[in-house]
Amino acid sequence: MLTNLSIKNYALIDHLNVKFTNGFTVITGETGAGKSILLGGLALVLGKRADLSSLKDKESKCIVEGEFDIAKYELKSFFDNNDLDYERKTIVRREILPSGKSRAFINDTPVTLDVLSKLGGRLVDVHSQHQTMQLGESDFQLKTIDALANNEKVLVQYAAKLEQYQTSTKELEQLLEFQSNAIKEHEYNSFLLEELNSAPLKEGIIETLEEEYEQLNNVEVIMEQLSQVQQLLNDEQIGVINLLTELKQISHKLGHYGQHYSELDERVNSVFIELDDISNEFIALNDQVDTNPEMLEEVSAKLQLLHTLLKKHNAHDVSELLGIKKELDDKVQATENVESDIEAKRKELLELEAELNTIASKLSKNRNKILPKLKKQLEGTLAELGMASATFKIEIHPSKEFKATGKDDLTFLLSSNKGSAYGELKKVASGGELSRIMLAIKSILANYENLPTLMFDEIDTGVSGEISNKMGDIMQDMSKTMQIFSITHLPQVAAKGAHHFKVYKEEELMGTQTKMKPLSKQERITELAEMLGGKAITESALAHAKELLN
């Protein structure tokens, strides 16, 4: 419930601080005194968009702060989900800066306007004649029926399953679209993949083939050079091996004459061993080298294919070609597997559809079960509010499609007068009738839901006498379990309040100010007398006011 409201620098309010308690609070005041300003300030902490023109002093910031006791609202999960500190006494603050920027805080933590608005909707429910138009909306009507039918948990199950169903439906549409496009590209992609599969793609392959090509293409030059190497190394007259053998023999003999000679002998021996090994490798290479025009042609063809593929796919190296090959392979595989994926997704959708139908059927059953009770309670309450001939025709019909709240189409019709035709609420009910219907619905909901603070903004406009008295009784009765505010012009309603505040204007040196104060019992009598007979208060008006209060 709202326990304190502080408004600074807003419209005609310089500084206002009001404390509230539980029960039924009435707010009265002359037309133009500033009751709408009070509501406007409250709307800011409930998440309404700010307007720079609402600043009283354009050089200072506007601050509106509301304190709420939220112990019974079950909002802990909301605070956890939005990373906010949960406090039983929660403070919501809104600031409008002279620059036009707006800031919002919940327990001193900055929040977005969206988060503030969601919390505000669960703290205070403001109803005016304009907002009674939602009575004609199917969503509001179903919400009312679901509250009475105790459908909250079933609706949560339905919403979760509907989200799965919608996700799977979207995935199926994507698969079908993919299949449609892929069939056109499949043949071309398969051709490209086969072309890449036929190429010897591996890291470093081009360098290896180019080296092999150079060897095969210059085999005669290589053979000639190898022949010369053989002659230089192994010729009997001038061969380096033979000469080194003689050197080795000499150094070996010298090795016996001291360490220095011995070390030189070892070095000569090492050179001999190394050169002998080199000679053997050249001999082996010479044995391997042979003209092979077929192999040369094969290597040349591979190189040509690789360079053609690089150019065709605009790739810089074989590594990029391997990546392109992987992408093509994935596309071809996906196209070949998409039919089974589509079949599996359709099967999944059928299962989800069956589950959704089961839950939707349960919702419908619960709703239909409660309709006679809702109809009876509505008509009974409206009879007390001066609509004795009002009757409702409330019917639920199965829908072919899954909606946000099930598979039901709702018909919620009213006949205001005996013998008149049934019609939609917004078409056949007057503003005053809509107000009374809204009050009746809220009074019924109060028995089934833990409603937030309710603020009725002149919802009693257009009624008078005994009807207004009964409206006050209903609000007074609702206030036994929740906090109720009523901004009213009717003394019969104002007299029912446990607490009475007056909004008034006062002219000061700095200009006109809107103020608000709680009324004592004697002040209430005077206020009610003015509401009954005007500024010129008569004894009969005072007597009537006392009678109303008693």
Side-chain angles (χ1 to χ4, degrees):
M1 69 173 183
L2 178 63
T3 58
N4 194 82
L5 181 64
S6 172
I7 302 175
K8 294 180 182 178
N9 194 37
Y10 179 76
L12 294 180
I13 297 175
D14 183 41
H15 185 197
L16 179 70
N17 190 71
V18 192
K19 294 186 181 297
F20 300 107
T21 58
N22 206 351
F24 185 22
T25 298
V26 294
I27 300 172
T28 62
E30 294 179 5
T31 301
K35 298 186 293 297
S36 60
I37 294 174
L38 182 70
L39 276 179
L42 177 62
L44 287 177
V45 293
L46 299 180
K48 181 184 175 183
R49 294 201 169 274
D51 183 356
L52 188 59
S53 64
S54 60
L55 269 65
K56 187 174 189 294
D57 178 0
K58 305 300 181 184
E59 302 300 318
S60 302
K61 67 180 177 181
C62 164
I63 302 174
V64 183
E65 189 172 276
E67 183 182 291
F68 297 87
D69 185 340
I70 62 171
K72 67 175 186 177
Y73 289 166
E74 299 179 358
L75 290 171
K76 182 97 171 48
S77 60
F78 177 89
F79 279 72
D80 291 340
N81 293 337
N82 289 283
D83 199 22
L84 296 169
D85 294 328
Y86 177 81
E87 301 286 348
R88 173 177 173 166
K89 295 287 186 181
T90 283
I91 296 175
V92 181
R93 186 171 80 256
R94 189 79 180 279
E95 298 179 357
I96 308 171
L97 306 180
S99 63
K101 290 184 179 179
S102 167
R103 298 187 298 185
F105 303 85
I106 297 175
N107 291 331
D108 284 331
T109 300
V111 294
T112 63
L113 198 59
D114 181 57
V115 171
L116 182 65
S117 180
K118 286 177 180 176
L119 177 63
R122 298 176 70 173
L123 295 177
V124 180
D125 190 0
V126 180
H127 284 283
S128 63
Q129 275 208 318
H130 170 70
Q131 287 160 318
T132 56
M133 293 307 294
Q134 65 180 293
L135 276 171
E137 298 171 4
S138 180
D139 287 346
F140 178 81
Q141 295 164 358
L142 267 180
K143 187 178 178 182
T144 301
I145 293 169
D146 284 328
L148 272 65
N150 197 26
N151 268 340
E152 183 180 358
K153 291 182 179 178
V154 187
L155 281 168
V156 170
Q157 292 176 348
Y158 178 84
K161 197 62 65 178
L162 180 63
E163 185 177 1
Q164 291 180 35
Y165 180 79
Q166 290 170 337
T167 300
S168 293
T169 300
K170 189 174 182 180
E171 288 171 351
L172 176 61
E173 291 171 355
Q174 290 171 343
L175 282 171
L176 291 170
E177 184 180 358
F178 173 80
Q179 183 187 45
S180 176
N181 295 329
I183 288 173
K184 303 171 187 175
E185 300 176 6
H186 180 62
E187 190 174 328
Y188 181 60
N189 286 337
S190 297
F191 168 75
L192 291 177
L193 181 61
E194 183 59 35
E195 200 174 42
L196 288 171
N197 281 332
S198 67
L201 298 181
K202 62 180 180 180
E203 298 287 349
I205 185 63
I206 290 181
E207 292 78 5
T208 300
L209 287 173
E210 286 177 342
E211 184 180 296
E212 190 175 352
Y213 177 82
E214 285 298 314
Q215 292 176 10
L216 290 167
N217 195 42
N218 296 283
V219 66
E220 293 179 356
V221 176
I222 292 172
M223 290 175 69
E224 182 183 340
Q225 298 296 324
L226 286 173
S227 177
Q228 289 183 23
V229 169
Q230 286 281 70
Q231 187 174 358
L232 286 170
L233 288 172
N234 297 307
D235 187 271
E236 292 182 3
Q237 300 298 324
I238 61 169
V240 176
I241 296 293
N242 289 333
L243 293 173
L244 195 56
T245 301
E246 291 181 21
L247 176 61
K248 180 184 173 187
Q249 291 171 351
I250 294 171
S251 67
H252 184 67
K253 290 177 181 180
L254 287 171
H256 297 294
Y257 299 107
Q259 184 177 351
H260 189 69
Y261 291 110
S262 175
E263 289 174 355
L264 286 171
D265 179 45
E266 289 177 5
R267 290 170 66 186
V268 170
N269 191 48
S270 295
V271 171
F272 178 81
I273 292 170
E274 179 66 17
L275 195 60
D276 187 55
D277 187 57
I278 291 171
S279 174
N280 289 332
E281 285 200 31
F282 271 119
I283 291 169
L285 286 171
N286 189 54
D287 292 341
Q288 293 172 14
V289 174
D290 192 12
T291 55
N292 192 339
E294 292 83 5
M295 180 62 73
L296 176 62
E297 186 176 346
E298 183 180 333
V299 171
S300 177
K302 287 180 180 179
L303 278 172
Q304 182 63 39
L305 174 61
L306 287 169
H307 285 296
T308 299
L309 290 172
L310 286 170
K311 185 176 180 181
K312 183 174 186 176
H313 293 280
N314 197 25
H316 293 93
D317 51 36
V318 172
S319 177
E320 285 191 33
L321 280 179
L322 286 168
I324 293 167
K325 177 185 172 183
K326 175 70 169 58
E327 288 178 12
L328 285 169
D329 188 55
D330 289 344
K331 286 181 179 179
V332 170
Q333 290 297 322
T335 305
E336 292 173 352
N337 296 333
V338 73
E339 191 61 48
S340 60
D341 291 342
I342 288 172
E343 191 59 35
K345 188 58 66 176
R346 280 177 172 152
K347 184 180 178 183
E348 179 186 314
L349 273 171
L350 285 173
E351 292 172 356
L352 286 170
E353 191 172 334
E355 292 175 26
L356 267 176
N357 277 321
T358 299
I359 302 172
S361 177
K362 187 174 181 180
L363 286 170
S364 294
K365 184 179 177 182
N366 292 345
R367 288 164 178 166
N368 277 298
K369 188 177 179 181
I370 204 70
L371 289 186
K373 185 176 182 180
L374 173 61
K375 183 177 184 297
K376 183 178 179 181
Q377 287 182 315
L378 269 177
E379 291 173 356
T381 304
L382 287 176
E384 295 176 358
L385 292 174
M387 295 176 67
S389 299
T391 57
F392 288 89
K393 182 184 287 185
I394 309 172
E395 297 175 347
I396 287 174
H397 311 282
S399 170
K400 292 182 179 179
E401 60 183 30
F402 293 113
K403 300 181 177 182
T405 53
K407 282 186 79 174
D408 289 331
D409 286 324
L410 177 66
T411 301
F412 202 106
L413 305 177
L414 168 71
S415 170
S416 299
N417 303 297
K418 191 173 184 178
S420 63
Y422 284 95
E424 295 179 28
L425 294 181
K426 59 186 177 183
K427 292 182 179 179
V428 300
S430 66
E433 288 173 335
L434 285 174
S435 296
R436 281 177 270 178
I437 294 169
M438 175 62 87
L439 180 60
I441 286 176
K442 286 296 178 182
S443 67
I444 293 168
L445 283 176
N447 297 317
Y448 296 89
E449 274 192 319
N450 187 20
L451 295 176
T453 290
L454 281 179
M455 183 166 287
F456 294 106
D457 178 21
E458 300 185 4
I459 198 170
D460 47 23
T461 299
V463 297
S464 59
E466 185 54 34
I467 297 172
S468 60
N469 194 50
K470 185 58 187 176
M471 291 183 85
D473 286 338
I474 290 173
M475 287 186 260
Q476 189 179 52
D477 189 56
M478 291 172 69
S479 71
K480 293 174 183 177
T481 56
M482 61 188 298
Q483 187 181 39
I484 300 289
F485 287 89
S486 177
I487 297 175
T488 181
H489 285 293
L490 297 178
Q492 293 87 347
V493 174
K496 302 288 183 180
H499 322 286
H500 191 156
F501 286 83
K502 181 175 181 177
V503 177
Y504 60 99
K505 283 181 181 179
E506 193 171 88
E507 292 186 3
E508 299 178 350
L509 291 175
M510 300 298 292
T512 303
Q513 299 273 353
T514 287
K515 295 189 176 183
M516 181 176 179
K517 67 176 182 179
L519 299 182
S520 65
K521 184 173 182 180
Q522 187 56 49
E523 288 173 327
R524 287 190 74 180
I525 292 171
T526 302
E527 176 70 7
L528 291 175
E530 282 190 14
M531 294 173 74
L532 286 164
K535 288 288 184 182
I537 299 174
T538 63
E539 287 299 324
S540 62
L542 286 171
H544 192 184
K546 290 177 183 178
E547 185 182 345
L548 285 175
L549 273 179
N550 293 328

